[in-house]
Amino acid sequence: MDIRAELPGKIVVKPGAKDSLPEIIESLGCTNIVVVTDRNLWSMLGRELENIFGGRGIAFSTVFAESADGNSVEAAKRTIESSNACLVLGVGGGRPIDVAKYAAFLSKRFFISFPTAISHDGFASPIVALKDPQGNPLSIFTRPPTAVVVDTDIVAQAPRRLLASGVGDIIGKVTSVADARLAMRLAGEEIPEISLVMAESAARIVLSEIDELARWSTRGIELLVQAGLLAGMAMSIAGSSRPCSGSEHLFSHALDKFVPERKSLHGEQVGVGTIIMAYLHGLEWREIREALLKVGAPTSASELGVPREKLVECVLRAGELRKRFTILDAVRLNEELVLKILRETKIVD
Ligand SMILES: NC(=O)c1ccc[n+]([C@@H]2O[C@H](COP(=O)([O-])OP(=O)(O)OC[C@H]3O[C@@H](n4cnc5c(N)ncnc54)[C@H](O)[C@@H]3O)[C@@H](O)[C@H]2O)c1
Ligand SMILES: O=P(O)(O)OC[C@@H](O)CO
Ligand SMILES: [Zn+2]
């Protein structure tokens, strides 16, 4: 099948990579940028970045994206236009990166992704994850970052909970690829094999090196970043999140929609969803649960902070959130069967 894809133009992953930002910005012919971040991170990194940019005569404006919604994107767009910025630099977790990515796309500017935590695979992908007014998942395919710059010194200091969430999101590729292959077999869907192999490899890196990751060693952080890069590129090549987002993500989106009061993170929800959907696929769900336990990611309803009956509802209703063929379209579930699965996989008592 035809492939027509863009990938990140530059990838820099190393300790102190923040010092590479000026040369990358200048290589794009830019001397005037907009930085999209949040106040927490700017309190941590602002002075250093001011010195780095000031020392090279790079002018910048700062936009604080305290929420990843239309208002934040509009504010970033206004600043991009009013400052006539050449480029948008996203500095932070998933929220600032999404706002920066989308504002750059809508304003037709270069976008540099500078993640300070790997809490999911959005830092290297073309995807912006918003919600429609009804709370349904909106997966917007924009463009891959012009450059991905990961300072592993900074990511290594991120809250462990965020990094464990990133592990959960990557492990989710076990079932997202199984769903994609099922859709090719049963629903005649065409998906580039290369994108499935890349997504599978991302999950394999994390699962085979889970002890290294659990130490949060430099090598562990590097492996998580590399897995995230593979996942992001898989989505760029597939032209959608299909290789990296299947029934486990539908479960996560169902939690977002039907349990708005929850506090769990995207990757935490995906991790638990992967246990459930691996069971439905007849895959080795125990290996997945063990890996999540090793990095301290949630493996139960109580750790997600979701009541049992809500969790059952989210499994039963996940398939209605998106027209994307997954295992949920191939099995007939009812409340009794879902409870049996949740008990057998130790997600509920
Ligand atoms: N584009 C995608 O594919 C995709 C996928 C899933 C979720 N998302 C979006 O991502 C967002 C969630 O991402 P998130 O969980 O990273 O949230 P986030 O960006 O809000 O970060 C969570 C918190 O961690 C802090 N933080 C980040 N890096 C840190 C560091 N190194 N040290 C200390 N604190 C740090 C932030 O300041 C923030 O307070 C949501 O908006 C969600 O919609 C996008
Ligand atoms: O398209 P969605 O389901 O938002 O998935 C994007 C990303 O979360 C994949 O890891
Ligand atoms: Zn995800």
Side-chain angles (χ1 to χ4, degrees), residues 38 40-41 68 93-96 98 116-117 119-120 122 127 129 158-159 162 266:
D38 67 31
N40 172 44
L41 287 161
R95 229 169 345 110
D98 258 11
T116 57
S119 53
H120 53 69
I127 304 292
L162 289 178
H266 170 80

Side-chain angles (χ1 to χ4, degrees), residues 119-122 127 129 165-166 168-170 172-173 235 241 244-246 248-249 252-253 266-267 270:
S119 53
H120 53 69
D121 54 21
I127 304 292
S165 169
D169 194 33
I170 298 296
K173 299 354 172 184
M235 290 184 265
S241 59
C244 294
S245 171
E248 77 296 325
H249 271 73
S252 174
H253 295 321
H266 170 80
V270 168

Side-chain angles (χ1 to χ4, degrees), residues 24-39:
I24 294 172
I25 291 166
E26 287 159 358
S27 72
L28 295 166
C30 295
T31 56
N32 171 22
I33 68 172
V34 165
V35 177
V36 179
T37 186
D38 67 31
R39 284 187 169 71

Side-chain angles (χ1 to χ4, degrees), residues 118-119 159-172 206-207 210 213-214 216 224 264-275 287-305 345-347:
I118 309 296
S119 53
R160 294 286 176 263
R161 184 179 171 202
L162 289 178
L163 300 176
S165 169
V167 171
D169 194 33
I170 298 296
I171 283 179
V206 164
L207 287 169
I210 197 68
L213 277 149
W216 304 118
L224 180 58
S264 41
L265 302 176
H266 170 80
E268 294 176 335
Q269 298 170 174
V270 168
V272 173
T274 306
I275 297 171
E287 178 193 12
I288 288 163
R289 183 172 183 275
E290 282 309 309
L292 293 170
L293 283 169
K294 282 186 177 175
V295 295
T299 57
S300 67
S302 57
E303 287 172 310
L304 283 181
T345 54
K346 302 181 176 56
I347 291 171

Side-chain angles (χ1 to χ4, degrees), residues 32 79-86 109:
N32 171 22
T79 306
I80 292 164
E81 304 299 342
S82 61
S83 64
N84 193 26
C86 169
R109 296 316 202 272

